[in-house]
């Protein structure tokens, strides 16, 4: 019996070659082909960084109210500016005296403009580029209103141009209407573009819009102060005379009818209010005629009528003749007497109204 140990069969690969087998030469298996394999990050959604430029909630009630106030105050500002523009141009071009209303127009414009700018400042910080829901409805409503007013002003421009080219004679008020309509059209066009948020595409427009509105309002406010407002202060006594001289004339006629004689002074006819202020401030001088005339009535020969004559003299600071023509002198010029006082048109300086009062 052989006692030598038996040698076990060796592997086809010699042990010396085991270390020479590289991992690349080893057979590889695609993990996706193994149904039991699952990627460690399967079903995992990476976290996204918060979007700091996320659009605001356009349906927020507070933002909707701020949007409405912004558009509404700009609309009211342009409306007040329209009245201010027409009044200023009428004063400088046609010499119209509407200064009594001018302080209220200037005050309204100067109050509405800062409110509009403040509302626009806060709203523009949250205004979305594209409006949806209630915000789009508010925008459409105001845009349509501004467009309609602008189109109306544009129609006025066309009408004035047609009148200037076709009419043989045009008044200064046609030029006033034309210039006013041009400025008003530009104002409504600007606020219309602001409502449509055109600044989202033209970044410079918003600053230009705010600056232009401030400049335009400032210019016309100054012109309104140095023009119509200053003129109203200068001619305030003229306006007082024009408004109350006919009241004095009626009181004199009533006194003559009751007492069959003219009053000796204006203090005895029972005036009140602004009419009495004319007398108190010596703004009217009353001169009765000593010799009244008595004639027979054409309707009743048994009742004679007596006509009394008197004069009311005043001093006007400015002429009310808007076209530069002669003052109204239908029946009050020379030695003619009228049974009424017409202060519609008068010259500057001292002027006497010759009045007649007929009683039975």
């Amino acid at each position: 019996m052989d006692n030598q140990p038996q040698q076990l069969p060796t592997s086809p690969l010699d042990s010396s070659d085991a270390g020479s087998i590289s991992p690349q030469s080893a057979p590889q298996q695609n993990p996706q082909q193994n149904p039991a394999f699952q990627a460690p990050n399967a079903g995992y959604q990476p976290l996204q960084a918060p979007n700091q430029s996320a659009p605001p909630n356009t349906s927020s009630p507070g933002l909707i109210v701020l949007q409405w106030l912004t558009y509404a105050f700009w609309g009211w500002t342009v409306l007040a500016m329209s009245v201010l523009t027409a009044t200023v141009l009428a004063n400088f071009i046609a010499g119209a005296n509407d200064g009594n209303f001018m302080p209220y127009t200037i005050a309204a414009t100067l109050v509405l403009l800062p409110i509009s700018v403040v509302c626009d400042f806060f709203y523009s910080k949250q205004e979305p580029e594209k409006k949806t829901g209630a915000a789009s409805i508010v925008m459409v409503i105001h845009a349509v209103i501004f467009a309609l007013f602008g189109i109306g002003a544009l129609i006025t421009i066309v009408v004035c141009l047609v009148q200037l080219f076709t009419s043989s004679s045009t008044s200064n008020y046609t030029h006033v209407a034309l210039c006013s309509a041009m400025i008003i059209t530009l104002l409504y066009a600007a606020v219309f573009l602001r409502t449509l948020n055109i600044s989202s595409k033209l970044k410079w427009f918003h600053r230009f819009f705010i600056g232009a509105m401030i400049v335009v309002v400032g210019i016309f406010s100054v012109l309104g102060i140095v023009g119509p407002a200053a003129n109203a202060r200068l001619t305030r006594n003229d306006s007082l005379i024009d408004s109350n001289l006919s009241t004095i004339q009626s009181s004199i006629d009533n006194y003559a009818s009751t007492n069959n004689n003219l009053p000796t002074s204006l203090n005895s006819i029972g005036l009140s209010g602004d009419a009495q202020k004319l007398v108190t401030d010596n703004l009217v001088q009353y001169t009765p005629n000593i010799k009244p005339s008595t004639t027979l009535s054409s309707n009743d020969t048994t009742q004679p009528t007596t006509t009394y004559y008197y004069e009311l003299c005043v001093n006007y600071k400015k002429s009310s003749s808007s076209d530069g023509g002669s003052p109204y002198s239908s029946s009050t010029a020379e030695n003619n007497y009228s049974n009424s006082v017409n202060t519609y048109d008068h010259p500057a300086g001292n002027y006497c109204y010759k009045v007649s009062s007929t009683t039975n």
Side-chain angles (χ1 to χ4, degrees), residues 36-340:
F37 175 81
Q38 185 176 6
N41 292 331
Y44 170 75
Q45 297 293 334
L47 294 176
Q48 297 180 353
N51 187 4
Q52 297 180 355
S53 61
N57 184 9
T58 59
S59 61
S60 171
L63 189 58
I64 295 299
V65 171
L66 185 59
Q67 178 190 11
W68 189 288
L69 290 177
T70 301
Y71 296 160
F73 278 119
W74 277 127
W76 282 108
T77 301
V78 174
L79 182 61
M81 266 298 302
S82 301
V83 178
L84 178 61
T85 301
T87 306
V88 169
L89 293 180
N91 178 261
F92 281 95
I93 297 177
N97 185 13
D98 295 326
N100 293 330
F101 185 70
M102 178 57 61
Y104 304 100
T105 308
I106 297 176
T109 306
L110 295 181
V111 170
L112 289 171
L113 177 64
I115 297 176
S116 303
V117 173
V118 170
C119 290
D120 196 302
F121 174 78
F122 287 106
Y123 176 65
S124 60
K125 291 181 174 295
Q126 309 176 60
E127 184 177 8
E129 292 187 6
K130 295 183 179 180
K131 299 178 178 62
T132 59
S136 63
I137 296 176
V138 173
M139 181 188 69
V140 169
I141 291 175
H142 288 86
V144 169
I145 294 175
F146 298 152
L148 291 177
F149 276 95
I151 292 173
L154 187 61
I155 293 174
T156 303
I157 295 176
V158 176
V159 172
C160 292
L161 290 176
V162 171
Q163 186 174 0
L164 289 175
F165 283 106
T166 59
S167 178
S168 59
S169 61
T170 57
S171 65
N172 290 331
Y173 287 99
T174 303
H175 297 87
V176 172
L178 177 61
C179 297
S180 300
M182 289 181 177
I183 297 175
I184 294 171
T185 301
L186 293 177
L187 291 175
Y188 275 110
V191 76
F192 174 78
L193 295 177
R194 167 62 189 93
T195 304
L196 295 181
N197 194 22
I198 196 68
S199 58
S200 61
K201 298 180 180 179
L202 302 176
K203 300 300 182 182
W204 56 268
F205 178 79
H206 188 262
R207 290 185 178 180
F208 172 79
F209 171 75
I210 300 293
M213 291 298 293
I214 294 176
V215 170
V216 172
V217 170
I219 291 175
F220 277 93
S221 296
V222 172
L223 292 177
I225 293 174
V226 300
N231 183 66
R233 181 175 178 81
L234 177 65
T235 60
R236 56 184 177 180
N237 288 338
D238 292 3
S239 300
L240 191 67
I241 293 171
D242 292 341
S243 301
N244 297 277
L245 196 61
S246 59
T247 302
I248 295 178
Q249 178 249 320
S250 299
S251 298
I252 294 175
D253 292 347
N254 292 334
Y255 182 95
S257 178
T258 303
N259 298 276
N260 293 323
N261 198 0
L262 288 175
T264 56
S265 69
L266 296 180
N267 292 321
S268 59
I269 58 177
L271 297 174
S272 62
D274 289 340
Q276 179 61 40
K277 183 177 176 59
L278 286 180
V279 179
T280 304
D281 295 347
N282 295 320
L283 297 178
V284 56
Q285 302 296 326
Y286 164 70
T287 304
N289 193 310
I290 300 176
K291 297 180 179 180
S293 62
T294 303
T295 59
L296 295 178
S297 174
S298 58
N299 296 329
D300 191 351
T301 57
T302 61
Q303 293 184 356
T305 60
T306 303
T307 302
Y308 300 93
Y309 303 96
Y310 60 93
E311 293 183 1
L312 295 174
C313 297
V314 294
N315 188 302
Y316 289 110
K317 296 294 183 182
K318 290 189 66 176
S319 171
S320 66
S321 180
S322 58
D323 56 356
S326 59
Y328 180 87
S329 58
S330 174
S331 58
T332 58
E334 300 298 333
N335 294 324
N336 296 327
Y337 285 81
S338 173
N339 57 4
S340 63

